[in-house]
Amino acid sequence: GVAMSCCYLAAAALMGGYVWKCAPRGPAKLAIAILPGGLMFPPIVESLVTNQKGTFCLLIVTTTFLLLQIRRPAVAGLCFGWLMFKPQLALPIMLVMLWKRQFAFCLGCMGTLCLLGMVCLAVGLDANSQFLRLLGAAPEYIYRHGYSVASSHCVDSFFHGLIPDHPRKARMLAATATVALILLALRLVKGPIQCDSHRFALQYSGLIVVTILISPHLYGYDLSLLLLPFVVIIILPRKGHDASMTKAAAYVALALFSLSGLSEYLARATGVQVTVLLMGCLLYFLFAIASSMRQDARGSIVSQ
């Protein structure tokens, strides 16, 4: 619990420094206020109370983002590689960065993976084979007795909760939604990657949301990762024709922040996991704003 609390404090401090440097005065005050307020974000609370790794994952993705912002891709990759202890949270962003030919980042990831591989070998082959079997069975967790679909926040559990009596149809709908989300993620990063731009902050935030949604197994504490996209949205410039979309994204983020603690109870009562719907809306606005920035400035956002 102490270690996870320290991870949250470190992540909050890093985000606070980013906000102080990049945001206008008004949004900066609001964004910095949300960092101690993050202790009221139910996924953060759940992570700390149950001693889960949500805040550790938040620290990894935040540190990686800030290292990319200051153009240290290899070091960012070394940092991000530690997220491979939960491969479903690491692979989507790693594969996108590879597709975008961010080779320094990918080499950094490979360096960390080699180190983790040596640690795994030191633990023993039996433990590693059990871990691989556990990973391979992740898509089937949802069919196991005692698995709480209402506590899960991905598209797979969303459709299984929506039509619990038709598991095959739910699986097909989830697979279709997953393909659509992957295609949207690829469109989100269309064009050159400029890591020190507002547009990249939106792209990275969108990839975090996609990663959460397509994960085969994701409980509430992993929603701690959303705190970084919340901060990014708050400090976005509210000028030009995309100001209304930026405000709408902020309202969706606020709803997600507020309702995440009630989502399990709502899912049990209605069969609808509201966090998945809200994350879908949030992803739409992130994509729309990022596309608008690309059209207006051809990716050169920092100069604005």
Side-chain angles (χ1 to χ4, degrees), residues 128-200:
N128 285 286
S129 62
Q130 291 182 39
F131 179 67
L132 292 175
R133 285 197 298 270
L134 185 67
L135 287 180
E140 305 301 321
Y141 285 173
I142 202 164
Y143 300 113
R144 293 187 178 182
H145 177 72
Y147 186 89
S148 175
V149 173
S151 302
S152 185
H153 303 264
C154 54
V155 292
D156 197 15
S157 61
F158 175 81
F159 287 109
H160 279 85
L162 196 63
I163 46 176
D165 298 327
H166 302 278
R168 182 174 296 179
K169 186 180 294 185
R171 178 57 62 87
M172 290 178 61
L173 288 170
T176 302
T178 297
V179 171
L181 287 165
I182 292 171
L183 292 176
L184 182 59
L186 296 179
R187 287 199 62 191
L188 180 65
V189 296
K190 185 178 180 180
I193 293 289
Q194 290 187 299
C195 294
D196 57 354
S197 69
H198 284 306
R199 183 167 180 260
F200 176 74

Side-chain angles (χ1 to χ4, degrees), residues 44-66:
I44 295 287
V45 175
E46 182 180 353
S47 181
L48 296 177
V49 170
T50 60
N51 200 28
Q52 289 291 343
K53 308 302 184 291
T55 55
F56 180 54
C57 296
L58 175 64
L59 178 59
I60 291 174
V61 298
T62 300
T63 306
T64 300
F65 169 67
L66 296 178

